[in-house]
Amino acid sequence: AQSVSQHNHHVILSEAASLELGCNYSYGGTVNLFWYVQYPGQHLQLLLKYFSGDPLVKGIKGFEAEFIKSKFSFNLRKPSVQWSDTAEYFCAVGGSGNTGKLIFGQGTTLQVKP
Amino acid sequence: NAGVTQTPKFQVLKTGQSMTLQCAQDMNHEYMSWYRQDPGMGLRLIHYSVGAGITDQGEVPNGYNVSRSTTEDFPLRLLSAAPSQTSVYFCASSSSWADTQYFGPGTRLTVL
């Protein structure tokens, strides 16, 4: 069965610090990988996605993620966080097959201190 | 283009009551899903649909029913509300199984 695990549940950083949020997935076939963000009081929106090709994916607002197939990982990174990055971040996996299912991780709450 | 809309935004129910959460999208997306968001548990898939007339269960389907009579609408029915169904419910749609999902603003449901 598909599963997604995010290791960091709550991260607190100061502005300008670097960020890396871990995401590991379990799935036996072709996957598409996503990071979604939920800013306070807002609904989820796409940060970046990986379907195929270059395993280093760049998203909005300076975020990037690297797909490492051998480690079943899709970690999110940002070199220098801002206070406005305070949000909840979700990793998600969509499996192969015409199913439309997307499985989410538990989420990581990022708090950036000014 | 309104995207994905959900009604109501807030709802309080008593145990045993039934209700329907509405979801509509105007992007002509085939794929629609319902999730519930609970603290520390992320988003869990309740039911999903790959097109009009086709629905299937997700991770946590018990206590919920769905139907998809049109491409635009995907209502979620709570048959007999329980306190364990207190949650925030999100509807999402996408053009294909692998594509970006667009989320609605959510419905915050409290069951007393």
PDB file of all heavy atoms in Angstrom, chain A residues 32 34 36 38 43 46 49 51 90 95-102 104-106, chain B residues 31 33 35 37 40 42-43 45 48 50 59 90 97-101 103-105:
ATOM      1  N   ASN A  32       4.270   9.963  -8.943  1.00  0.00           N
ATOM      2  CA  ASN A  32       4.435  11.410  -9.092  1.00  0.00           C
ATOM      3  C   ASN A  32       4.479  11.989  -7.684  1.00  0.00           C
ATOM      4  O   ASN A  32       3.741  11.551  -6.803  1.00  0.00           O
ATOM      5  CB  ASN A  32       3.276  12.016  -9.872  1.00  0.00           C
ATOM      6  CG  ASN A  32       3.281  11.576 -11.318  1.00  0.00           C
ATOM      7  OD1 ASN A  32       4.302  11.179 -11.859  1.00  0.00           O
ATOM      8  ND2 ASN A  32       2.126  11.643 -11.951  1.00  0.00           N
ATOM      9  N   PHE A  34       4.724  15.366  -4.963  1.00  0.00           N
ATOM     10  CA  PHE A  34       4.274  16.741  -4.811  1.00  0.00           C
ATOM     11  C   PHE A  34       4.644  17.262  -3.430  1.00  0.00           C
ATOM     12  O   PHE A  34       4.711  16.505  -2.457  1.00  0.00           O
ATOM     13  CB  PHE A  34       2.739  16.830  -4.937  1.00  0.00           C
ATOM     14  CG  PHE A  34       2.158  16.243  -6.190  1.00  0.00           C
ATOM     15  CD1 PHE A  34       1.946  14.881  -6.309  1.00  0.00           C
ATOM     16  CD2 PHE A  34       1.800  17.061  -7.255  1.00  0.00           C
ATOM     17  CE1 PHE A  34       1.401  14.329  -7.465  1.00  0.00           C
ATOM     18  CE2 PHE A  34       1.244  16.529  -8.408  1.00  0.00           C
ATOM     19  CZ  PHE A  34       1.046  15.165  -8.514  1.00  0.00           C
ATOM     20  N   TYR A  36       2.865  20.333  -1.188  1.00  0.00           N
ATOM     21  CA  TYR A  36       1.828  21.347  -1.072  1.00  0.00           C
ATOM     22  C   TYR A  36       2.101  22.175   0.180  1.00  0.00           C
ATOM     23  O   TYR A  36       2.668  21.675   1.160  1.00  0.00           O
ATOM     24  CB  TYR A  36       0.440  20.716  -0.973  1.00  0.00           C
ATOM     25  CG  TYR A  36      -0.115  20.211  -2.278  1.00  0.00           C
ATOM     26  CD1 TYR A  36       0.221  18.938  -2.750  1.00  0.00           C
ATOM     27  CD2 TYR A  36      -0.950  21.002  -3.060  1.00  0.00           C
ATOM     28  CE1 TYR A  36      -0.286  18.477  -3.959  1.00  0.00           C
ATOM     29  CE2 TYR A  36      -1.458  20.541  -4.268  1.00  0.00           C
ATOM     30  CZ  TYR A  36      -1.112  19.284  -4.702  1.00  0.00           C
ATOM     31  OH  TYR A  36      -1.610  18.824  -5.912  1.00  0.00           O
ATOM     32  N   GLN A  38       0.283  25.018   2.994  1.00  0.00           N
ATOM     33  CA  GLN A  38      -0.943  25.626   3.512  1.00  0.00           C
ATOM     34  C   GLN A  38      -0.551  26.766   4.438  1.00  0.00           C
ATOM     35  O   GLN A  38      -0.100  26.546   5.572  1.00  0.00           O
ATOM     36  CB  GLN A  38      -1.785  24.592   4.261  1.00  0.00           C
ATOM     37  CG  GLN A  38      -3.145  25.103   4.680  1.00  0.00           C
ATOM     38  CD  GLN A  38      -3.983  24.025   5.352  1.00  0.00           C
ATOM     39  OE1 GLN A  38      -3.461  23.103   5.973  1.00  0.00           O
ATOM     40  NE2 GLN A  38      -5.292  24.132   5.233  1.00  0.00           N
ATOM     41  N   HIS A  43      -6.151  27.773   1.982  1.00  0.00           N
ATOM     42  CA  HIS A  43      -6.217  26.364   1.600  1.00  0.00           C
ATOM     43  C   HIS A  43      -4.949  25.919   0.902  1.00  0.00           C
ATOM     44  O   HIS A  43      -4.070  26.732   0.616  1.00  0.00           O
ATOM     45  CB  HIS A  43      -7.461  26.096   0.754  1.00  0.00           C
ATOM     46  CG  HIS A  43      -7.606  26.963  -0.447  1.00  0.00           C
ATOM     47  ND1 HIS A  43      -7.161  26.611  -1.690  1.00  0.00           N
ATOM     48  CD2 HIS A  43      -8.177  28.187  -0.597  1.00  0.00           C
ATOM     49  CE1 HIS A  43      -7.452  27.559  -2.551  1.00  0.00           C
ATOM     50  NE2 HIS A  43      -8.073  28.519  -1.917  1.00  0.00           N
ATOM     51  N   LEU A  46      -0.171  24.178  -4.521  1.00  0.00           N
ATOM     52  CA  LEU A  46       0.992  23.441  -4.969  1.00  0.00           C
ATOM     53  C   LEU A  46       2.252  24.277  -4.845  1.00  0.00           C
ATOM     54  O   LEU A  46       2.290  25.437  -5.244  1.00  0.00           O
ATOM     55  CB  LEU A  46       0.802  23.015  -6.427  1.00  0.00           C
ATOM     56  CG  LEU A  46       1.928  22.186  -7.015  1.00  0.00           C
ATOM     57  CD1 LEU A  46       1.939  20.800  -6.382  1.00  0.00           C
ATOM     58  CD2 LEU A  46       1.779  22.078  -8.529  1.00  0.00           C
ATOM     59  N   LYS A  49       6.323  19.992  -8.018  1.00  0.00           N
ATOM     60  CA  LYS A  49       5.973  18.610  -8.327  1.00  0.00           C
ATOM     61  C   LYS A  49       7.056  17.973  -9.177  1.00  0.00           C
ATOM     62  O   LYS A  49       7.788  18.658  -9.891  1.00  0.00           O
ATOM     63  CB  LYS A  49       4.636  18.535  -9.054  1.00  0.00           C
ATOM     64  CG  LYS A  49       4.612  19.274 -10.384  1.00  0.00           C
ATOM     65  CD  LYS A  49       3.208  19.295 -10.977  1.00  0.00           C
ATOM     66  CE  LYS A  49       3.184  20.090 -12.280  1.00  0.00           C
ATOM     67  NZ  LYS A  49       1.812  20.229 -12.834  1.00  0.00           N
ATOM     68  N   PHE A  51       7.424  14.753 -11.920  1.00  0.00           N
ATOM     69  CA  PHE A  51       6.810  13.682 -12.693  1.00  0.00           C
ATOM     70  C   PHE A  51       7.888  12.790 -13.310  1.00  0.00           C
ATOM     71  O   PHE A  51       7.806  11.571 -13.240  1.00  0.00           O
ATOM     72  CB  PHE A  51       5.923  14.247 -13.805  1.00  0.00           C
ATOM     73  CG  PHE A  51       4.623  14.813 -13.311  1.00  0.00           C
ATOM     74  CD1 PHE A  51       4.289  14.823 -11.973  1.00  0.00           C
ATOM     75  CD2 PHE A  51       3.709  15.357 -14.201  1.00  0.00           C
ATOM     76  CE1 PHE A  51       3.096  15.345 -11.514  1.00  0.00           C
ATOM     77  CE2 PHE A  51       2.505  15.879 -13.761  1.00  0.00           C
ATOM     78  CZ  PHE A  51       2.194  15.880 -12.427  1.00  0.00           C
ATOM     79  N   PHE A  90       3.097  19.805   3.183  1.00  0.00           N
ATOM     80  CA  PHE A  90       2.666  18.418   2.998  1.00  0.00           C
ATOM     81  C   PHE A  90       3.347  17.821   1.775  1.00  0.00           C
ATOM     82  O   PHE A  90       3.305  18.397   0.691  1.00  0.00           O
ATOM     83  CB  PHE A  90       1.153  18.341   2.782  1.00  0.00           C
ATOM     84  CG  PHE A  90       0.336  18.763   3.973  1.00  0.00           C
ATOM     85  CD1 PHE A  90      -0.125  20.065   4.077  1.00  0.00           C
ATOM     86  CD2 PHE A  90       0.024  17.851   4.961  1.00  0.00           C
ATOM     87  CE1 PHE A  90      -0.891  20.460   5.166  1.00  0.00           C
ATOM     88  CE2 PHE A  90      -0.749  18.234   6.055  1.00  0.00           C
ATOM     89  CZ  PHE A  90      -1.196  19.536   6.158  1.00  0.00           C
ATOM     90  N   GLY A  95       0.138   7.579  -7.238  1.00  0.00           N
ATOM     91  CA  GLY A  95       0.645   6.347  -7.835  1.00  0.00           C
ATOM     92  C   GLY A  95       0.187   6.151  -9.255  1.00  0.00           C
ATOM     93  O   GLY A  95      -0.654   6.874  -9.770  1.00  0.00           O
ATOM     94  N   SER A  96       0.737   5.167  -9.882  1.00  0.00           N
ATOM     95  CA  SER A  96       0.395   4.873 -11.265  1.00  0.00           C
ATOM     96  C   SER A  96      -0.978   4.231 -11.352  1.00  0.00           C
ATOM     97  O   SER A  96      -1.547   3.815 -10.357  1.00  0.00           O
ATOM     98  CB  SER A  96       1.438   3.939 -11.873  1.00  0.00           C
ATOM     99  OG  SER A  96       1.436   2.706 -11.190  1.00  0.00           O
ATOM    100  N   GLY A  97      -1.505   4.176 -12.515  1.00  0.00           N
ATOM    101  CA  GLY A  97      -2.857   3.639 -12.665  1.00  0.00           C
ATOM    102  C   GLY A  97      -3.854   4.757 -12.709  1.00  0.00           C
ATOM    103  O   GLY A  97      -3.659   5.823 -12.143  1.00  0.00           O
ATOM    104  N   ASN A  98      -4.968   4.503 -13.326  1.00  0.00           N
ATOM    105  CA  ASN A  98      -5.936   5.571 -13.540  1.00  0.00           C
ATOM    106  C   ASN A  98      -6.856   5.713 -12.346  1.00  0.00           C
ATOM    107  O   ASN A  98      -8.062   5.540 -12.439  1.00  0.00           O
ATOM    108  CB  ASN A  98      -6.733   5.223 -14.804  1.00  0.00           C
ATOM    109  CG  ASN A  98      -7.343   6.445 -15.398  1.00  0.00           C
ATOM    110  OD1 ASN A  98      -6.888   7.555 -15.204  1.00  0.00           O
ATOM    111  ND2 ASN A  98      -8.419   6.252 -16.142  1.00  0.00           N
ATOM    112  N   THR A  99      -6.283   6.024 -11.203  1.00  0.00           N
ATOM    113  CA  THR A  99      -7.075   5.997  -9.982  1.00  0.00           C
ATOM    114  C   THR A  99      -7.357   7.375  -9.396  1.00  0.00           C
ATOM    115  O   THR A  99      -8.302   7.523  -8.645  1.00  0.00           O
ATOM    116  CB  THR A  99      -6.362   5.174  -8.903  1.00  0.00           C
ATOM    117  OG1 THR A  99      -5.119   5.811  -8.605  1.00  0.00           O
ATOM    118  CG2 THR A  99      -6.109   3.759  -9.384  1.00  0.00           C
ATOM    119  N   GLY A 100      -6.539   8.331  -9.659  1.00  0.00           N
ATOM    120  CA  GLY A 100      -6.780   9.650  -9.096  1.00  0.00           C
ATOM    121  C   GLY A 100      -6.471   9.786  -7.626  1.00  0.00           C
ATOM    122  O   GLY A 100      -6.809  10.790  -7.017  1.00  0.00           O
ATOM    123  N   LYS A 101      -5.844   8.796  -7.034  1.00  0.00           N
ATOM    124  CA  LYS A 101      -5.584   8.851  -5.596  1.00  0.00           C
ATOM    125  C   LYS A 101      -4.295   9.595  -5.323  1.00  0.00           C
ATOM    126  O   LYS A 101      -3.291   9.403  -5.993  1.00  0.00           O
ATOM    127  CB  LYS A 101      -5.478   7.431  -5.041  1.00  0.00           C
ATOM    128  CG  LYS A 101      -6.779   6.681  -5.047  1.00  0.00           C
ATOM    129  CD  LYS A 101      -6.585   5.237  -4.673  1.00  0.00           C
ATOM    130  CE  LYS A 101      -6.219   5.058  -3.226  1.00  0.00           C
ATOM    131  NZ  LYS A 101      -6.263   3.625  -2.845  1.00  0.00           N
ATOM    132  N   LEU A 102      -4.339  10.418  -4.300  1.00  0.00           N
ATOM    133  CA  LEU A 102      -3.158  11.133  -3.851  1.00  0.00           C
ATOM    134  C   LEU A 102      -3.060  10.890  -2.359  1.00  0.00           C
ATOM    135  O   LEU A 102      -4.014  11.135  -1.627  1.00  0.00           O
ATOM    136  CB  LEU A 102      -3.306  12.627  -4.156  1.00  0.00           C
ATOM    137  CG  LEU A 102      -2.052  13.493  -4.079  1.00  0.00           C
ATOM    138  CD1 LEU A 102      -1.057  13.077  -5.140  1.00  0.00           C
ATOM    139  CD2 LEU A 102      -2.425  14.954  -4.276  1.00  0.00           C
ATOM    140  N   PHE A 104      -1.212  11.722   1.215  1.00  0.00           N
ATOM    141  CA  PHE A 104      -0.453  12.783   1.850  1.00  0.00           C
ATOM    142  C   PHE A 104       0.306  12.295   3.073  1.00  0.00           C
ATOM    143  O   PHE A 104      -0.118  11.359   3.756  1.00  0.00           O
ATOM    144  CB  PHE A 104      -1.393  13.904   2.301  1.00  0.00           C
ATOM    145  CG  PHE A 104      -1.847  14.802   1.188  1.00  0.00           C
ATOM    146  CD1 PHE A 104      -2.861  14.405   0.333  1.00  0.00           C
ATOM    147  CD2 PHE A 104      -1.255  16.037   0.985  1.00  0.00           C
ATOM    148  CE1 PHE A 104      -3.281  15.227  -0.698  1.00  0.00           C
ATOM    149  CE2 PHE A 104      -1.666  16.862  -0.042  1.00  0.00           C
ATOM    150  CZ  PHE A 104      -2.676  16.460  -0.885  1.00  0.00           C
ATOM    151  N   GLY A 105       1.419  12.951   3.353  1.00  0.00           N
ATOM    152  CA  GLY A 105       2.102  12.747   4.614  1.00  0.00           C
ATOM    153  C   GLY A 105       1.388  13.484   5.730  1.00  0.00           C
ATOM    154  O   GLY A 105       0.392  14.178   5.502  1.00  0.00           O
ATOM    155  N   GLN A 106       1.937  13.359   6.922  1.00  0.00           N
ATOM    156  CA  GLN A 106       1.276  13.926   8.099  1.00  0.00           C
ATOM    157  C   GLN A 106       1.410  15.438   8.182  1.00  0.00           C
ATOM    158  O   GLN A 106       0.701  16.087   8.950  1.00  0.00           O
ATOM    159  CB  GLN A 106       1.863  13.316   9.382  1.00  0.00           C
ATOM    160  CG  GLN A 106       1.841  11.808   9.415  1.00  0.00           C
ATOM    161  CD  GLN A 106       3.144  11.207   8.898  1.00  0.00           C
ATOM    162  OE1 GLN A 106       3.715  11.665   7.905  1.00  0.00           O
ATOM    163  NE2 GLN A 106       3.608  10.173   9.557  1.00  0.00           N
TER     164      GLN A 106
ATOM    165  N   TYR B  31     -11.169  14.327 -12.337  1.00  0.00           N
ATOM    166  CA  TYR B  31     -10.828  13.735 -11.048  1.00  0.00           C
ATOM    167  C   TYR B  31     -11.219  14.668  -9.909  1.00  0.00           C
ATOM    168  O   TYR B  31     -10.862  15.840  -9.909  1.00  0.00           O
ATOM    169  CB  TYR B  31      -9.334  13.443 -10.984  1.00  0.00           C
ATOM    170  CG  TYR B  31      -8.911  12.384 -11.951  1.00  0.00           C
ATOM    171  CD1 TYR B  31      -8.684  12.697 -13.285  1.00  0.00           C
ATOM    172  CD2 TYR B  31      -8.757  11.072 -11.551  1.00  0.00           C
ATOM    173  CE1 TYR B  31      -8.316  11.718 -14.184  1.00  0.00           C
ATOM    174  CE2 TYR B  31      -8.380  10.086 -12.446  1.00  0.00           C
ATOM    175  CZ  TYR B  31      -8.168  10.421 -13.765  1.00  0.00           C
ATOM    176  OH  TYR B  31      -7.813   9.445 -14.651  1.00  0.00           O
ATOM    177  N   SER B  33     -11.774  14.644  -5.427  1.00  0.00           N
ATOM    178  CA  SER B  33     -11.483  13.889  -4.203  1.00  0.00           C
ATOM    179  C   SER B  33     -11.994  14.645  -2.986  1.00  0.00           C
ATOM    180  O   SER B  33     -12.124  15.871  -3.027  1.00  0.00           O
ATOM    181  CB  SER B  33      -9.969  13.703  -4.042  1.00  0.00           C
ATOM    182  OG  SER B  33      -9.373  13.172  -5.202  1.00  0.00           O
ATOM    183  N   TYR B  35     -10.987  14.965   1.143  1.00  0.00           N
ATOM    184  CA  TYR B  35     -10.014  14.688   2.188  1.00  0.00           C
ATOM    185  C   TYR B  35     -10.538  15.249   3.510  1.00  0.00           C
ATOM    186  O   TYR B  35     -11.290  16.214   3.540  1.00  0.00           O
ATOM    187  CB  TYR B  35      -8.673  15.366   1.898  1.00  0.00           C
ATOM    188  CG  TYR B  35      -7.985  14.901   0.660  1.00  0.00           C
ATOM    189  CD1 TYR B  35      -8.254  15.490  -0.578  1.00  0.00           C
ATOM    190  CD2 TYR B  35      -7.028  13.889   0.712  1.00  0.00           C
ATOM    191  CE1 TYR B  35      -7.603  15.076  -1.726  1.00  0.00           C
ATOM    192  CE2 TYR B  35      -6.375  13.475  -0.446  1.00  0.00           C
ATOM    193  CZ  TYR B  35      -6.665  14.068  -1.642  1.00  0.00           C
ATOM    194  OH  TYR B  35      -6.023  13.651  -2.780  1.00  0.00           O
ATOM    195  N   GLN B  37      -8.815  16.730   7.141  1.00  0.00           N
ATOM    196  CA  GLN B  37      -7.555  17.156   7.736  1.00  0.00           C
ATOM    197  C   GLN B  37      -7.701  17.200   9.244  1.00  0.00           C
ATOM    198  O   GLN B  37      -8.547  17.939   9.770  1.00  0.00           O
ATOM    199  CB  GLN B  37      -7.141  18.536   7.218  1.00  0.00           C
ATOM    200  CG  GLN B  37      -5.791  18.999   7.737  1.00  0.00           C
ATOM    201  CD  GLN B  37      -5.401  20.366   7.231  1.00  0.00           C
ATOM    202  OE1 GLN B  37      -6.248  21.188   6.873  1.00  0.00           O
ATOM    203  NE2 GLN B  37      -4.104  20.636   7.188  1.00  0.00           N
ATOM    204  N   GLY B  40      -1.920  16.555  13.205  1.00  0.00           N
ATOM    205  CA  GLY B  40      -0.956  15.470  13.335  1.00  0.00           C
ATOM    206  C   GLY B  40      -1.171  14.302  12.406  1.00  0.00           C
ATOM    207  O   GLY B  40      -0.386  13.358  12.399  1.00  0.00           O
ATOM    208  N   GLY B  42      -2.274  14.875   8.982  1.00  0.00           N
ATOM    209  CA  GLY B  42      -2.227  15.323   7.599  1.00  0.00           C
ATOM    210  C   GLY B  42      -3.591  15.261   6.946  1.00  0.00           C
ATOM    211  O   GLY B  42      -4.622  15.401   7.600  1.00  0.00           O
ATOM    212  N   LEU B  43      -3.586  15.016   5.659  1.00  0.00           N
ATOM    213  CA  LEU B  43      -4.828  14.865   4.915  1.00  0.00           C
ATOM    214  C   LEU B  43      -5.031  13.397   4.600  1.00  0.00           C
ATOM    215  O   LEU B  43      -4.125  12.723   4.109  1.00  0.00           O
ATOM    216  CB  LEU B  43      -4.776  15.636   3.593  1.00  0.00           C
ATOM    217  CG  LEU B  43      -5.077  17.117   3.677  1.00  0.00           C
ATOM    218  CD1 LEU B  43      -3.863  17.883   4.129  1.00  0.00           C
ATOM    219  CD2 LEU B  43      -5.535  17.638   2.325  1.00  0.00           C
ATOM    220  N   LEU B  45      -7.491  10.636   2.571  1.00  0.00           N
ATOM    221  CA  LEU B  45      -8.435  10.536   1.470  1.00  0.00           C
ATOM    222  C   LEU B  45      -9.679   9.772   1.908  1.00  0.00           C
ATOM    223  O   LEU B  45      -9.584   8.660   2.420  1.00  0.00           O
ATOM    224  CB  LEU B  45      -7.756   9.827   0.293  1.00  0.00           C
ATOM    225  CG  LEU B  45      -8.541   9.659  -0.986  1.00  0.00           C
ATOM    226  CD1 LEU B  45      -8.858  11.014  -1.610  1.00  0.00           C
ATOM    227  CD2 LEU B  45      -7.753   8.801  -1.975  1.00  0.00           C
ATOM    228  N   TYR B  48     -12.957   9.261  -3.724  1.00  0.00           N
ATOM    229  CA  TYR B  48     -12.539   9.983  -4.908  1.00  0.00           C
ATOM    230  C   TYR B  48     -13.331   9.505  -6.112  1.00  0.00           C
ATOM    231  O   TYR B  48     -14.005   8.470  -6.063  1.00  0.00           O
ATOM    232  CB  TYR B  48     -11.029   9.841  -5.143  1.00  0.00           C
ATOM    233  CG  TYR B  48     -10.573   8.432  -5.442  1.00  0.00           C
ATOM    234  CD1 TYR B  48     -10.327   8.029  -6.749  1.00  0.00           C
ATOM    235  CD2 TYR B  48     -10.372   7.514  -4.425  1.00  0.00           C
ATOM    236  CE1 TYR B  48      -9.901   6.751  -7.030  1.00  0.00           C
ATOM    237  CE2 TYR B  48      -9.949   6.229  -4.698  1.00  0.00           C
ATOM    238  CZ  TYR B  48      -9.706   5.855  -5.993  1.00  0.00           C
ATOM    239  OH  TYR B  48      -9.291   4.570  -6.270  1.00  0.00           O
ATOM    240  N   VAL B  50     -13.129   9.339 -10.559  1.00  0.00           N
ATOM    241  CA  VAL B  50     -12.322   9.540 -11.768  1.00  0.00           C
ATOM    242  C   VAL B  50     -13.185  10.002 -12.946  1.00  0.00           C
ATOM    243  O   VAL B  50     -12.703  10.088 -14.069  1.00  0.00           O
ATOM    244  CB  VAL B  50     -11.523   8.271 -12.129  1.00  0.00           C
ATOM    245  CG1 VAL B  50     -10.573   7.915 -11.001  1.00  0.00           C
ATOM    246  CG2 VAL B  50     -12.456   7.112 -12.439  1.00  0.00           C
ATOM    247  N   GLU B  59      -8.810   6.126   1.977  1.00  0.00           N
ATOM    248  CA  GLU B  59      -8.263   5.536   3.204  1.00  0.00           C
ATOM    249  C   GLU B  59      -9.282   5.420   4.329  1.00  0.00           C
ATOM    250  O   GLU B  59      -9.267   4.478   5.124  1.00  0.00           O
ATOM    251  CB  GLU B  59      -7.104   6.383   3.722  1.00  0.00           C
ATOM    252  CG  GLU B  59      -5.951   6.598   2.778  1.00  0.00           C
ATOM    253  CD  GLU B  59      -5.001   7.642   3.328  1.00  0.00           C
ATOM    254  OE1 GLU B  59      -4.168   7.303   4.182  1.00  0.00           O
ATOM    255  OE2 GLU B  59      -5.109   8.825   2.909  1.00  0.00           O
ATOM    256  N   PHE B  90     -11.715  18.958   2.916  1.00  0.00           N
ATOM    257  CA  PHE B  90     -11.289  19.613   1.685  1.00  0.00           C
ATOM    258  C   PHE B  90     -11.703  18.781   0.479  1.00  0.00           C
ATOM    259  O   PHE B  90     -11.527  17.565   0.451  1.00  0.00           O
ATOM    260  CB  PHE B  90      -9.768  19.785   1.657  1.00  0.00           C
ATOM    261  CG  PHE B  90      -9.260  20.823   2.604  1.00  0.00           C
ATOM    262  CD1 PHE B  90      -8.719  20.455   3.816  1.00  0.00           C
ATOM    263  CD2 PHE B  90      -9.326  22.175   2.278  1.00  0.00           C
ATOM    264  CE1 PHE B  90      -8.245  21.412   4.706  1.00  0.00           C
ATOM    265  CE2 PHE B  90      -8.858  23.137   3.159  1.00  0.00           C
ATOM    266  CZ  PHE B  90      -8.320  22.754   4.379  1.00  0.00           C
ATOM    267  N   TRP B  97      -4.962  11.866 -13.005  1.00  0.00           N
ATOM    268  CA  TRP B  97      -4.527  11.292 -11.729  1.00  0.00           C
ATOM    269  C   TRP B  97      -3.166  11.811 -11.318  1.00  0.00           C
ATOM    270  O   TRP B  97      -2.846  11.873 -10.144  1.00  0.00           O
ATOM    271  CB  TRP B  97      -4.472   9.759 -11.822  1.00  0.00           C
ATOM    272  CG  TRP B  97      -3.395   9.241 -12.718  1.00  0.00           C
ATOM    273  CD1 TRP B  97      -3.498   8.963 -14.043  1.00  0.00           C
ATOM    274  CD2 TRP B  97      -2.033   8.964 -12.375  1.00  0.00           C
ATOM    275  NE1 TRP B  97      -2.296   8.523 -14.541  1.00  0.00           N
ATOM    276  CE2 TRP B  97      -1.385   8.499 -13.548  1.00  0.00           C
ATOM    277  CE3 TRP B  97      -1.302   9.041 -11.183  1.00  0.00           C
ATOM    278  CZ2 TRP B  97      -0.047   8.123 -13.547  1.00  0.00           C
ATOM    279  CZ3 TRP B  97       0.029   8.671 -11.183  1.00  0.00           C
ATOM    280  CH2 TRP B  97       0.648   8.223 -12.360  1.00  0.00           C
ATOM    281  N   ALA B  98      -2.365  12.197 -12.276  1.00  0.00           N
ATOM    282  CA  ALA B  98      -0.985  12.571 -11.980  1.00  0.00           C
ATOM    283  C   ALA B  98      -0.800  14.079 -11.871  1.00  0.00           C
ATOM    284  O   ALA B  98       0.293  14.535 -11.583  1.00  0.00           O
ATOM    285  CB  ALA B  98      -0.079  12.023 -13.072  1.00  0.00           C
ATOM    286  N   ASP B  99      -1.830  14.822 -12.108  1.00  0.00           N
ATOM    287  CA  ASP B  99      -1.664  16.264 -12.241  1.00  0.00           C
ATOM    288  C   ASP B  99      -1.900  16.994 -10.923  1.00  0.00           C
ATOM    289  O   ASP B  99      -2.338  16.407  -9.942  1.00  0.00           O
ATOM    290  CB  ASP B  99      -2.622  16.794 -13.296  1.00  0.00           C
ATOM    291  CG  ASP B  99      -2.030  17.982 -14.042  1.00  0.00           C
ATOM    292  OD1 ASP B  99      -1.084  18.589 -13.510  1.00  0.00           O
ATOM    293  OD2 ASP B  99      -2.517  18.304 -15.139  1.00  0.00           O
ATOM    294  N   THR B 100      -1.615  18.270 -10.937  1.00  0.00           N
ATOM    295  CA  THR B 100      -1.812  19.123  -9.769  1.00  0.00           C
ATOM    296  C   THR B 100      -3.255  19.081  -9.312  1.00  0.00           C
ATOM    297  O   THR B 100      -4.177  19.193 -10.126  1.00  0.00           O
ATOM    298  CB  THR B 100      -1.443  20.565 -10.120  1.00  0.00           C
ATOM    299  OG1 THR B 100      -0.110  20.592 -10.599  1.00  0.00           O
ATOM    300  CG2 THR B 100      -1.590  21.474  -8.908  1.00  0.00           C
ATOM    301  N   GLN B 101      -3.437  18.955  -8.009  1.00  0.00           N
ATOM    302  CA  GLN B 101      -4.795  19.018  -7.460  1.00  0.00           C
ATOM    303  C   GLN B 101      -5.076  20.447  -7.008  1.00  0.00           C
ATOM    304  O   GLN B 101      -4.233  21.110  -6.413  1.00  0.00           O
ATOM    305  CB  GLN B 101      -4.931  18.069  -6.280  1.00  0.00           C
ATOM    306  CG  GLN B 101      -4.755  16.621  -6.658  1.00  0.00           C
ATOM    307  CD  GLN B 101      -5.730  15.694  -5.962  1.00  0.00           C
ATOM    308  OE1 GLN B 101      -6.562  16.116  -5.178  1.00  0.00           O
ATOM    309  NE2 GLN B 101      -5.648  14.408  -6.257  1.00  0.00           N
ATOM    310  N   PHE B 103      -7.416  22.711  -4.645  1.00  0.00           N
ATOM    311  CA  PHE B 103      -8.212  22.504  -3.448  1.00  0.00           C
ATOM    312  C   PHE B 103      -9.231  23.614  -3.243  1.00  0.00           C
ATOM    313  O   PHE B 103      -8.985  24.775  -3.575  1.00  0.00           O
ATOM    314  CB  PHE B 103      -7.305  22.427  -2.219  1.00  0.00           C
ATOM    315  CG  PHE B 103      -6.563  21.128  -2.116  1.00  0.00           C
ATOM    316  CD1 PHE B 103      -5.395  20.924  -2.818  1.00  0.00           C
ATOM    317  CD2 PHE B 103      -7.058  20.109  -1.327  1.00  0.00           C
ATOM    318  CE1 PHE B 103      -4.713  19.711  -2.732  1.00  0.00           C
ATOM    319  CE2 PHE B 103      -6.385  18.900  -1.221  1.00  0.00           C
ATOM    320  CZ  PHE B 103      -5.215  18.701  -1.932  1.00  0.00           C
ATOM    321  N   GLY B 104     -10.335  23.241  -2.653  1.00  0.00           N
ATOM    322  CA  GLY B 104     -11.320  24.207  -2.217  1.00  0.00           C
ATOM    323  C   GLY B 104     -10.908  24.813  -0.887  1.00  0.00           C
ATOM    324  O   GLY B 104      -9.918  24.395  -0.286  1.00  0.00           O
ATOM    325  N   PRO B 105     -11.677  25.768  -0.385  1.00  0.00           N
ATOM    326  CA  PRO B 105     -11.312  26.481   0.850  1.00  0.00           C
ATOM    327  C   PRO B 105     -11.575  25.690   2.126  1.00  0.00           C
ATOM    328  O   PRO B 105     -11.138  26.084   3.197  1.00  0.00           O
ATOM    329  CB  PRO B 105     -12.193  27.729   0.802  1.00  0.00           C
ATOM    330  CG  PRO B 105     -13.363  27.324  -0.022  1.00  0.00           C
ATOM    331  CD  PRO B 105     -12.853  26.355  -1.034  1.00  0.00           C
TER     332      PRO B 105
END
